[in-house]
Structure formats: structure tokens, C-alpha cells
Amino acid sequence: ERALTDEPCIITLTTTGKIGRKPATGAKRATPGRDDVIAATTLSSTFKPVFAITSEGRALRLQGADIDEVSGRSRGADVGKKFGANKGEVVLTVVTPDSEPLVLVTQSGLAKRLTPEAIAELRHGKPVISLKGTDKLAVAFTAPEGVDIVLVTTDAQVLRTAVGNISLQGAAAGGVSGM
């Protein structure tokens, strides 16, 4: 049996809820299915933690080596089962602690950012944002300083803002009004 070594890898999340790992170098290009689109990617390694950020505002944690390898037309395993998500909980994105700041926006329009250092300290299942009542996390993504983001409501109101205008907060904070 081959010994596992710490190697760079790319973690992908698809719109059909599949998560997979492929080598960062020398890999044969995988061909996703016709109805499968990559929703998020993050650069990691087999020994680094990978976090799945969910609609319930939780961070679910695995090691890179625990994620199935992508092969052929397969994009990996079911992300909810792999990370142990609750029934009805949706994985919105995957991140690593050495990525850019994480932007979080709730369905009620609250927004905040988390630093990579704050992400690194998270334990499995711990919240990344304090949600009130029935509020859910609508979107989670990484964004570098100096870019603008666009928030759109269900009734077509649009807000374009610099990502730096969204405050950096700790994981226990609930965010500030984004819309």
C-alpha cells in the first residue's frame, strides 16, 4: 500500500453537490458531466484542513486526504455526506485557511468577512456567523482586497460595493446590514 504524502491538490465543489480532490500538478484533466458545473475551487494539500461553509452558517472541516479523488467523468463524492451536513443544509462553498478573506451574506441582507486566520481556528460544526431566527446564509465566497462585489435582492435591488466596505468580524458576530 502506498504511503500518503503531503501533496498540493485542488478541491472542487460542483453545482450538483459533488466534492473532489485532484493533484495540483501533472494531473490529467477531468471531464465533468454535461449537467455538472464547478461552483467553487480551492488550492490545498492532502494534509491541510478544508472547510465547507453551509447555509446554516456552519463550517464543516475535513483534511484534504479525506476527500475522494476525481477520476474520469466522476467529480467526487456527495459533499453533504462527506462533511456530515444536516438534512436540508446546503454547502455553499469550500475554503482553506490560507485563502483570501471569506465574504458571507445572509438571506436577510446581513454581511461580514472572516480573515483566513479566523477560518483556521474553526472547529468542525462551529458557526461562521451568528444567525437570528430563521435566517440562513445565502452566499459565501472568497474575495481579495480591492475588488467590488454586487449584491442583488429577490426584488431586483442592486448594491455594488467595494469588498473592503464589508467589515472583518469574528466567527461569533452576526454581520452588519449589507442591503
Side-chain angles (χ1 to χ4, degrees):
E1 192 172 306
R2 192 176 76 159
L4 190 62
T5 59
D6 191 21
E7 298 176 5
C9 61
I10 298 171
I11 308 295
T12 59
L13 173 67
T14 70
T15 56
T16 59
K18 301 290 184 200
I19 188 156
R21 170 178 52 91
K22 62 183 177 180
T25 58
K28 184 178 153 187
R29 184 176 169 196
T31 307
R34 160 176 95 182
D35 299 323
D36 206 8
V37 178
I38 294 177
T41 62
T42 189
L43 184 60
S44 187
S45 78
T46 49
F47 291 169
K48 280 187 185 174
V50 176
F51 295 89
I53 308 301
T54 74
S55 57
E56 292 182 7
R58 299 187 317 141
L60 306 177
R61 180 181 178 143
L62 281 178
Q63 295 300 110
D66 295 331
I67 297 171
D68 296 1
E69 279 200 56
V70 173
S71 62
R73 293 186 67 83
S74 166
R75 295 304 307 159
D78 180 270
V79 69
K81 289 179 183 172
K82 186 55 84 171
F83 278 91
N86 295 330
K87 184 177 179 181
E89 188 173 24
V90 177
V91 173
L92 302 172
T93 194
V94 289
V95 296
T96 54
D98 52 357
S99 62
E100 295 156 330
L102 179 64
V103 179
L104 305 167
V105 183
T106 70
Q107 291 176 348
S108 67
L110 298 178
K112 76 173 198 178
R113 292 186 302 151
L114 276 177
T115 64
E117 295 80 23
I119 295 167
E121 295 173 3
L122 294 170
R123 301 263 185 247
H124 181 79
K126 293 300 180 188
V128 292
I129 189 168
S130 178
L131 297 172
K132 305 233 184 312
T134 59
D135 200 10
K136 298 250 186 230
L137 204 54
V139 66
F141 58 92
T142 58
E145 292 293 334
V147 300
D148 286 355
I149 62 169
V150 176
L151 303 175
V152 182
T153 66
T154 55
D155 61 351
Q157 293 182 25
V158 177
L159 172 67
R160 178 180 171 182
T161 186
V163 75
N165 290 342
I166 299 173
S167 61
L168 285 164
Q169 298 180 349
V176 297
S177 182
M179 287 294 286

